[in-house]
Amino acid sequence: MNTVVDTALIQSLDSAHFLHPFTDFKDLNGRGARVITRAEGVYVWDSEGHRILDCMSGLWCVNAGYGRKELADAAHQQMMTLPYYNSFFQTTNVPAVQLAAKLASLAPDVGDRSFQHVFYSSSGSESNDSNVRMVRRYWDLLGQPQRKVIISRNNAYHGSTMAGASLGGMSGMHAQGDLPIPNITHIEQPYYFENGLPGETAEEFGVRAAGWLEEKILAVGPDKVAAFIAEPVQGAGGVIIPPSTYWPEIQRIVDKYGILLISDEVICAFGRLGHWFGYEKFGYKPDLVTFAKAITSGYMPLGGVMVGNRVAKVLIEQGGEFNHGYTYSGHPVACAVGLANLEIMEREQLPQKVHGEIGAYFAQRYAELNDHPLVGVAETCGFVGGLVLVKDKARKTRFHGDDGVGMICRGHCFQNGLIMRAVGDRMIIAPPLIMTRADIDEMMRLIYLALDLTQTELKARGLL
Ligand SMILES: *Cc1c(COP(=O)(O)O)cnc(C)c1O
């Protein structure tokens, strides 16, 4: 399976024609993109034959690992049977129905929020656009059209469409798009390392951070707030893991004011945190659950929203026509691949593995990084991990943003066959859930190597 590729040719065509997402085009054209040509298991290969351990699962999606023939077969078979048909005009298709029923059976009941219904899209961004539409429709139907404001958090990631980027809390994205759109507002993230006060425990901080939601609700006016949206663990923001006290307090507040809770689980669902859904890990009760990415392990684009009964009941019984949907809502091939992917996860018990012994080993090994001089703190939750690079460990002194310390470290990772993502001064991972102990050991060896090389380079540059 050796894929011969003319690297220079592909790179020049790439520069000439392909505008990459979240990329400084001129800068990339100057360097030439790395051409990824194939993948198997937990590894990807580039066109120069380098083998790289993919500790980001592509972009948080390839939970079941690369090279799954079953998924290719499911797509092939569905394409030959029915490659496409829409669901607009009182028609449906078998895989979309089966997958919706499967998701309903996997999503645990949370009282009046039990999840029996799915609204499909093709991505996380679109799904969050659908959330905004559904939340507004819900309150309109209940005769409270003044409830328009959705509260989110700084540094959250909810996608890149106009609504997705507005819900997200990325200042760089807001700055370039005249965003957020009206009626979306943000509170501070529960990042203990950054926002914890001297002497404050993580548990105390968790309650205080959740309290920012109540403050915001009161500032906006409780009768104007429609929903709160959050990721169980903030992913693209740098793997920000909330203290254990955070979610219970959030739950208390959303219940107190009767506002809807949207759990954006585009990263955290499908085994990532050791459960089918992220809300199970933290024990809260969302009304709407956004999913995408690992529903197909990234093999096909597919996303959607699990709609809890509280909302579904109103939309179904009082709604009339809902004027929203996508050409590819319930795409048969994507749904067939999703079904086959969930079958693999069930058969191989991937969520249970993360929840159990292999997840414990991952947590234990990753925690050893806390002894490295460059690491301020290293934490995991299920199969995500984050660490912050610091100048002075004892004093928790951080690097200057312009030092580009994360990018320096990422460079050393790539050079040595490891994919770890940099978010500012944080280095993050979300490996495929199929990782073995041996894979974890290899990952740790490469992380230590990259950290040591980063330390040497920072010293040479006078930054340490
Ligand atoms: C990736 C991501 C999205 C956006 O998904 P796309 O498929 O890229 O549109 C939304 N929310 C979260 C939490 C994500 O990680």
Side-chain angles (χ1 to χ4, degrees), residues 10-11 13-15 17-25 28-29 32-34:
I10 294 296
Q11 285 177 331
L13 289 173
D14 182 73
S15 304
H17 303 295
F18 183 8
L19 297 174
H20 292 228
F22 287 97
T23 295
D24 177 335
F25 308 126
L28 178 65
N29 292 352
R34 188 184 287 265

PDB file of all heavy atoms in Angstrom, residues 10-11 13-15 17-25 28-29 32-34:
ATOM      1  N   ILE A  10       2.500  18.323  -5.457  1.00  0.00           N
ATOM      2  CA  ILE A  10       1.286  18.493  -4.650  1.00  0.00           C
ATOM      3  C   ILE A  10       1.367  19.784  -3.833  1.00  0.00           C
ATOM      4  O   ILE A  10       0.392  20.546  -3.736  1.00  0.00           O
ATOM      5  CB  ILE A  10       1.070  17.268  -3.720  1.00  0.00           C
ATOM      6  CG1 ILE A  10       0.781  16.013  -4.544  1.00  0.00           C
ATOM      7  CG2 ILE A  10      -0.069  17.523  -2.728  1.00  0.00           C
ATOM      8  CD1 ILE A  10      -0.508  16.062  -5.346  1.00  0.00           C
ATOM      9  N   GLN A  11       2.541  20.056  -3.279  1.00  0.00           N
ATOM     10  CA  GLN A  11       2.689  21.282  -2.480  1.00  0.00           C
ATOM     11  C   GLN A  11       2.486  22.523  -3.338  1.00  0.00           C
ATOM     12  O   GLN A  11       1.859  23.486  -2.912  1.00  0.00           O
ATOM     13  CB  GLN A  11       4.071  21.323  -1.823  1.00  0.00           C
ATOM     14  CG  GLN A  11       4.167  20.369  -0.638  1.00  0.00           C
ATOM     15  CD  GLN A  11       5.547  20.342  -0.020  1.00  0.00           C
ATOM     16  OE1 GLN A  11       6.543  20.568  -0.720  1.00  0.00           O
ATOM     17  NE2 GLN A  11       5.605  20.061   1.266  1.00  0.00           N
ATOM     18  N   LEU A  13       0.685  22.768  -6.130  1.00  0.00           N
ATOM     19  CA  LEU A  13      -0.744  22.855  -6.475  1.00  0.00           C
ATOM     20  C   LEU A  13      -1.552  23.288  -5.249  1.00  0.00           C
ATOM     21  O   LEU A  13      -2.508  24.046  -5.362  1.00  0.00           O
ATOM     22  CB  LEU A  13      -1.253  21.501  -6.980  1.00  0.00           C
ATOM     23  CG  LEU A  13      -0.744  21.071  -8.364  1.00  0.00           C
ATOM     24  CD1 LEU A  13      -1.188  19.644  -8.671  1.00  0.00           C
ATOM     25  CD2 LEU A  13      -1.234  22.021  -9.451  1.00  0.00           C
ATOM     26  N   ASP A  14      -1.132  22.796  -4.089  1.00  0.00           N
ATOM     27  CA  ASP A  14      -1.793  23.175  -2.835  1.00  0.00           C
ATOM     28  C   ASP A  14      -1.703  24.685  -2.648  1.00  0.00           C
ATOM     29  O   ASP A  14      -2.710  25.353  -2.387  1.00  0.00           O
ATOM     30  CB  ASP A  14      -1.102  22.420  -1.681  1.00  0.00           C
ATOM     31  CG  ASP A  14      -1.730  22.681  -0.329  1.00  0.00           C
ATOM     32  OD1 ASP A  14      -2.829  22.165  -0.099  1.00  0.00           O
ATOM     33  OD2 ASP A  14      -1.126  23.403   0.481  1.00  0.00           O
ATOM     34  N   SER A  15      -0.491  25.217  -2.810  1.00  0.00           N
ATOM     35  CA  SER A  15      -0.304  26.671  -2.668  1.00  0.00           C
ATOM     36  C   SER A  15      -1.119  27.435  -3.701  1.00  0.00           C
ATOM     37  O   SER A  15      -1.684  28.486  -3.410  1.00  0.00           O
ATOM     38  CB  SER A  15       1.161  27.055  -2.857  1.00  0.00           C
ATOM     39  OG  SER A  15       1.966  26.360  -1.965  1.00  0.00           O
ATOM     40  N   HIS A  17      -3.923  26.575  -5.248  1.00  0.00           N
ATOM     41  CA  HIS A  17      -5.383  26.413  -5.362  1.00  0.00           C
ATOM     42  C   HIS A  17      -6.167  26.168  -4.086  1.00  0.00           C
ATOM     43  O   HIS A  17      -7.384  26.300  -4.084  1.00  0.00           O
ATOM     44  CB  HIS A  17      -5.681  25.253  -6.330  1.00  0.00           C
ATOM     45  CG  HIS A  17      -5.084  25.434  -7.685  1.00  0.00           C
ATOM     46  ND1 HIS A  17      -5.473  26.437  -8.543  1.00  0.00           N
ATOM     47  CD2 HIS A  17      -4.097  24.753  -8.314  1.00  0.00           C
ATOM     48  CE1 HIS A  17      -4.756  26.349  -9.657  1.00  0.00           C
ATOM     49  NE2 HIS A  17      -3.915  25.349  -9.550  1.00  0.00           N
ATOM     50  N   PHE A  18      -5.518  25.717  -3.036  1.00  0.00           N
ATOM     51  CA  PHE A  18      -6.267  25.248  -1.861  1.00  0.00           C
ATOM     52  C   PHE A  18      -6.084  26.243  -0.708  1.00  0.00           C
ATOM     53  O   PHE A  18      -4.988  26.380  -0.181  1.00  0.00           O
ATOM     54  CB  PHE A  18      -5.762  23.842  -1.477  1.00  0.00           C
ATOM     55  CG  PHE A  18      -6.475  23.176  -0.316  1.00  0.00           C
ATOM     56  CD1 PHE A  18      -7.630  23.708   0.257  1.00  0.00           C
ATOM     57  CD2 PHE A  18      -5.985  21.977   0.211  1.00  0.00           C
ATOM     58  CE1 PHE A  18      -8.274  23.080   1.320  1.00  0.00           C
ATOM     59  CE2 PHE A  18      -6.619  21.340   1.273  1.00  0.00           C
ATOM     60  CZ  PHE A  18      -7.762  21.902   1.827  1.00  0.00           C
ATOM     61  N   LEU A  19      -7.148  26.941  -0.358  1.00  0.00           N
ATOM     62  CA  LEU A  19      -7.119  27.826   0.807  1.00  0.00           C
ATOM     63  C   LEU A  19      -7.484  26.994   2.035  1.00  0.00           C
ATOM     64  O   LEU A  19      -8.627  26.565   2.177  1.00  0.00           O
ATOM     65  CB  LEU A  19      -8.109  28.987   0.630  1.00  0.00           C
ATOM     66  CG  LEU A  19      -7.827  29.933  -0.539  1.00  0.00           C
ATOM     67  CD1 LEU A  19      -8.962  30.949  -0.686  1.00  0.00           C
ATOM     68  CD2 LEU A  19      -6.499  30.650  -0.358  1.00  0.00           C
ATOM     69  N   HIS A  20      -6.525  26.779   2.915  1.00  0.00           N
ATOM     70  CA  HIS A  20      -6.760  25.907   4.078  1.00  0.00           C
ATOM     71  C   HIS A  20      -7.533  26.628   5.181  1.00  0.00           C
ATOM     72  O   HIS A  20      -7.383  27.838   5.355  1.00  0.00           O
ATOM     73  CB  HIS A  20      -5.425  25.458   4.675  1.00  0.00           C
ATOM     74  CG  HIS A  20      -4.635  24.535   3.814  1.00  0.00           C
ATOM     75  ND1 HIS A  20      -4.087  23.379   4.281  1.00  0.00           N
ATOM     76  CD2 HIS A  20      -4.303  24.595   2.498  1.00  0.00           C
ATOM     77  CE1 HIS A  20      -3.437  22.767   3.307  1.00  0.00           C
ATOM     78  NE2 HIS A  20      -3.553  23.490   2.210  1.00  0.00           N
ATOM     79  N   PRO A  21      -8.323  25.862   5.967  1.00  0.00           N
ATOM     80  CA  PRO A  21      -9.019  26.466   7.110  1.00  0.00           C
ATOM     81  C   PRO A  21      -8.033  26.925   8.199  1.00  0.00           C
ATOM     82  O   PRO A  21      -6.988  26.290   8.388  1.00  0.00           O
ATOM     83  CB  PRO A  21      -9.898  25.325   7.639  1.00  0.00           C
ATOM     84  CG  PRO A  21      -9.380  24.069   7.030  1.00  0.00           C
ATOM     85  CD  PRO A  21      -8.626  24.431   5.810  1.00  0.00           C
ATOM     86  N   PHE A  22      -8.401  27.988   8.890  1.00  0.00           N
ATOM     87  CA  PHE A  22      -7.606  28.515  10.017  1.00  0.00           C
ATOM     88  C   PHE A  22      -6.107  28.546   9.677  1.00  0.00           C
ATOM     89  O   PHE A  22      -5.291  27.991  10.421  1.00  0.00           O
ATOM     90  CB  PHE A  22      -7.850  27.689  11.283  1.00  0.00           C
ATOM     91  CG  PHE A  22      -9.193  27.939  11.900  1.00  0.00           C
ATOM     92  CD1 PHE A  22     -10.268  27.103  11.640  1.00  0.00           C
ATOM     93  CD2 PHE A  22      -9.397  29.028  12.738  1.00  0.00           C
ATOM     94  CE1 PHE A  22     -11.522  27.341  12.207  1.00  0.00           C
ATOM     95  CE2 PHE A  22     -10.644  29.270  13.314  1.00  0.00           C
ATOM     96  CZ  PHE A  22     -11.707  28.432  13.033  1.00  0.00           C
ATOM     97  N   THR A  23      -5.765  29.161   8.564  1.00  0.00           N
ATOM     98  CA  THR A  23      -4.377  29.137   8.094  1.00  0.00           C
ATOM     99  C   THR A  23      -3.966  30.508   7.580  1.00  0.00           C
ATOM    100  O   THR A  23      -4.761  31.195   6.935  1.00  0.00           O
ATOM    101  CB  THR A  23      -4.236  28.071   6.970  1.00  0.00           C
ATOM    102  OG1 THR A  23      -4.472  26.777   7.531  1.00  0.00           O
ATOM    103  CG2 THR A  23      -2.865  28.093   6.336  1.00  0.00           C
ATOM    104  N   ASP A  24      -2.737  30.896   7.885  1.00  0.00           N
ATOM    105  CA  ASP A  24      -2.115  32.065   7.276  1.00  0.00           C
ATOM    106  C   ASP A  24      -1.621  31.604   5.903  1.00  0.00           C
ATOM    107  O   ASP A  24      -0.609  30.912   5.795  1.00  0.00           O
ATOM    108  CB  ASP A  24      -0.958  32.533   8.174  1.00  0.00           C
ATOM    109  CG  ASP A  24      -0.184  33.714   7.593  1.00  0.00           C
ATOM    110  OD1 ASP A  24      -0.193  33.890   6.351  1.00  0.00           O
ATOM    111  OD2 ASP A  24       0.427  34.447   8.391  1.00  0.00           O
ATOM    112  N   PHE A  25      -2.365  31.962   4.876  1.00  0.00           N
ATOM    113  CA  PHE A  25      -2.125  31.397   3.539  1.00  0.00           C
ATOM    114  C   PHE A  25      -0.695  31.655   3.051  1.00  0.00           C
ATOM    115  O   PHE A  25      -0.024  30.767   2.550  1.00  0.00           O
ATOM    116  CB  PHE A  25      -3.122  31.972   2.523  1.00  0.00           C
ATOM    117  CG  PHE A  25      -4.561  31.848   2.947  1.00  0.00           C
ATOM    118  CD1 PHE A  25      -5.384  32.967   2.982  1.00  0.00           C
ATOM    119  CD2 PHE A  25      -5.099  30.615   3.304  1.00  0.00           C
ATOM    120  CE1 PHE A  25      -6.715  32.859   3.356  1.00  0.00           C
ATOM    121  CE2 PHE A  25      -6.437  30.496   3.682  1.00  0.00           C
ATOM    122  CZ  PHE A  25      -7.241  31.623   3.714  1.00  0.00           C
ATOM    123  N   LEU A  28       1.912  29.595   4.935  1.00  0.00           N
ATOM    124  CA  LEU A  28       1.914  28.180   4.550  1.00  0.00           C
ATOM    125  C   LEU A  28       2.531  28.008   3.160  1.00  0.00           C
ATOM    126  O   LEU A  28       3.312  27.084   2.932  1.00  0.00           O
ATOM    127  CB  LEU A  28       0.487  27.611   4.567  1.00  0.00           C
ATOM    128  CG  LEU A  28       0.403  26.136   4.124  1.00  0.00           C
ATOM    129  CD1 LEU A  28       1.136  25.220   5.101  1.00  0.00           C
ATOM    130  CD2 LEU A  28      -1.035  25.673   3.979  1.00  0.00           C
ATOM    131  N   ASN A  29       2.182  28.909   2.243  1.00  0.00           N
ATOM    132  CA  ASN A  29       2.717  28.785   0.888  1.00  0.00           C
ATOM    133  C   ASN A  29       4.243  28.882   0.887  1.00  0.00           C
ATOM    134  O   ASN A  29       4.908  28.244   0.072  1.00  0.00           O
ATOM    135  CB  ASN A  29       2.103  29.851  -0.031  1.00  0.00           C
ATOM    136  CG  ASN A  29       0.622  29.589  -0.269  1.00  0.00           C
ATOM    137  OD1 ASN A  29       0.104  28.540   0.119  1.00  0.00           O
ATOM    138  ND2 ASN A  29      -0.065  30.540  -0.884  1.00  0.00           N
ATOM    139  N   GLY A  32       5.192  25.231   2.459  1.00  0.00           N
ATOM    140  CA  GLY A  32       4.686  24.014   1.824  1.00  0.00           C
ATOM    141  C   GLY A  32       4.040  23.126   2.863  1.00  0.00           C
ATOM    142  O   GLY A  32       4.622  22.866   3.921  1.00  0.00           O
ATOM    143  N   ALA A  33       2.837  22.680   2.576  1.00  0.00           N
ATOM    144  CA  ALA A  33       2.108  21.851   3.544  1.00  0.00           C
ATOM    145  C   ALA A  33       2.688  20.446   3.573  1.00  0.00           C
ATOM    146  O   ALA A  33       3.183  19.946   2.567  1.00  0.00           O
ATOM    147  CB  ALA A  33       0.635  21.782   3.151  1.00  0.00           C
ATOM    148  N   ARG A  34       2.611  19.824   4.749  1.00  0.00           N
ATOM    149  CA  ARG A  34       2.959  18.413   4.859  1.00  0.00           C
ATOM    150  C   ARG A  34       1.833  17.612   4.200  1.00  0.00           C
ATOM    151  O   ARG A  34       0.657  17.809   4.494  1.00  0.00           O
ATOM    152  CB  ARG A  34       3.073  18.046   6.330  1.00  0.00           C
ATOM    153  CG  ARG A  34       3.613  16.657   6.587  1.00  0.00           C
ATOM    154  CD  ARG A  34       3.599  16.367   8.078  1.00  0.00           C
ATOM    155  NE  ARG A  34       4.625  17.096   8.804  1.00  0.00           N
ATOM    156  CZ  ARG A  34       5.827  16.600   9.102  1.00  0.00           C
ATOM    157  NH1 ARG A  34       6.145  15.381   8.737  1.00  0.00           N
ATOM    158  NH2 ARG A  34       6.706  17.318   9.772  1.00  0.00           N
TER     159      ARG A  34
END
